Amino acid sequence: MHPTASQTDIVEPVTIDASSGRVENGIHLEVGDPEIFERDDPTRELVFDLERVQILYSGVAAVTDVNLDIASREVTAFIGPSGCGKTTVLRSLNRMHDTTPGAVVEGKILYHGEDLYGPKVDAAEVRRRIGMVFQKPNPFPKSIYDNVAYGPKINGRKRGDLDDLVEQALTRAALWDEVKDKLKRSALALSGGQQQRLCIARAIAVEPDVILMDEPCSALDPIATARIEDLMIELKREFTIVIVTHNMQQASRVADRTAFFTAELNESGKRMGLLVEYDTTNKIFTQPSDPRTEGYITGRFG
Amino acid sequence: MTAPTSLLTPRRGTTGRHVRNRVATVGIWLALFIVLVPLVAVIGSVIVKGASSLSGNFLTQDINKITNGQKLADAFAKVAGKQSTQDGIKPAIVGTLLITGFATLMAVPLGILGGVYLNEYGGKNHFARVLRFLTEVMTGVPSIVMGLFIFSIVVVKTGFSLGWNVSGFAGSLALGCLMLPVVIRATEEMLKLVPNELREASYALGARKSKTIVSVVLPAAAAGIVSGALLAVARAAGETAPLVFVIGITRTTNTNIFSGGNVALSTEIFRNALSYGSYAAARNRAWGEALVLIVIALTFTLLARLVTAMFTRRRAA
């Protein structure tokens, strides 16, 4: 079944000109929408390039055959039902799986053209450049100040510039005004939304290139969620952001590109995640080319 | 649908509940009372009998041999209905603090490192499993066996022994061996409670494993580890069996734990209660020593609670 224009209630309908459509990376790209054209500029700077990525836990594939690229200073969203491997793929982007016994990443993940899993690559340096914000706010049981200063400190920043750095990071995470008078207080006394913004400030403080966010708003109320979403759009100017979310509205609000993952039974009857479709958010939500994507975004799961 | 019954009419099968509740409540109070009896009796008798010994120079003087003259004075005192003559237990207090202190210095850092290895590095590998099993076995070793072990490999001058003769340090080794598995277990258990999210948060900022353990994991578990270690110290301070035949004896304060005999409160209580049990002077001395020992152990226990409370309050603030 091919999607029709009647399902385009989320975003403005896209003008389709089938005659001049082109095919790139197996994804059919429509011409006519200037926004899409701009982003699909072949000169756009790629941060990640995933080729045939498969991730296994104790020999069992959790997600397989993922091919996608992520461009600089864009927000890329991974959506899909639970167990489809979106978090698993996200965690492969900063080598977080290194710390999970039994997890193996196969295929190729290029980061600025370099093999992320190359033999000489230092995983700690990878994680300094590619920061992560987790599903549950996880501030250290330390003061607000020490939470933000921790990253710069371990990465060799002098004590002298720490005060400015902490203020900058908290300001960029839209938290400074709320905490400037209680920097020495425990971070655990903050509300959930504040804690998550503190975690974002902590990630920003080490001046990463990419920020990975694993369902950063799932534990937050709508107001705190809105603040984090605003923050993401703000941070997009300086950072490349990849976000995993269960919330499709969130993806449609913040993401430039969206990847839809799903879980299917393979030949041996095991559930396995796979990437169904990856395109501009506009396209995914208005003109999905795969019926499974359409089913998911319109609420008919499966 | 039937009309709702009043809240005051008991539901079917609930009438026996009040009786059961009453019986259970009485049972629980009774159990509490029974448990309190030995506790109060022990502490009460030690305080009552020990307090009278704490007079004069009891805490500051050397231990005197109980002489024939004293035995005589004792008899006179008994006839006159008076307290017998007293002398000090300073060597035993100093000995207990030094021997336990050195044991702590050896066992606590080593135990914390062991716990860190088991939880953070070893995990489920074979070496860690063997180590964990041996730690459990070591926890179950009776303290007198630990004393014999140190006696046979450190103290005596035969066989494969080091033959260092009796010293306070031999006692420290024995107490350290007893404390080590306790500290390892306490550390491992506390580290297990540190949420993995904290480790991941640290890794995600570019921290290496060692840095993460030192700067995030250990501080997060510090309260539990410190209180676990202090409880191990409190227990070790009262151990008698491992000390009684490895530290020798002295009547004067010996601050050099590496050579010469030493003496601890626990061994003094043992000797006084046993060897001179029939003399009031020795009995009184033993009670006094018991009171001092309990106070020392209680101090460590309270310190453990204080440290835990301090950390918890700081975290909640």
Side-chain angles (χ1 to χ4, degrees), chain A residues 91 96 99 122 124 127-128 131-132 134 138-142 150 154-155 186 188-189 202-203, chain B residues 195 197-208 211-212 215-216 219-220 314-317:
Chain A
R91 289 168 64 93
M96 217 57 189
T99 61
D122 176 7
R127 294 193 204 105
R128 194 198 63 72
M132 194 164 206
F134 297 82
N138 58 352
F140 299 127
K142 300 175 188 279
Y150 178 77
I154 58 169
N155 288 298
S186 167
L188 300 182
R202 184 174 67 183
Chain B
E197 285 86 26
L198 289 185
R199 295 184 183 87
E200 291 197 328
S202 175
Y203 293 144
L205 293 166
R208 280 164 216 291
K211 185 72 196 170
T212 299
S215 304
V216 174
R314 178 140 45 108
R315 205 169 299 174

Side-chain angles (χ1 to χ4, degrees), chain A residues 68 76-80 257-261 275-279 284:
Chain A
L68 56 80
T76 306
F78 292 176
I79 61 167
R257 287 173 167 270
T258 299
F260 172 66
F261 290 78
L275 173 63
V276 174
E277 194 172 354
Y278 177 51
D279 212 320
I284 291 280

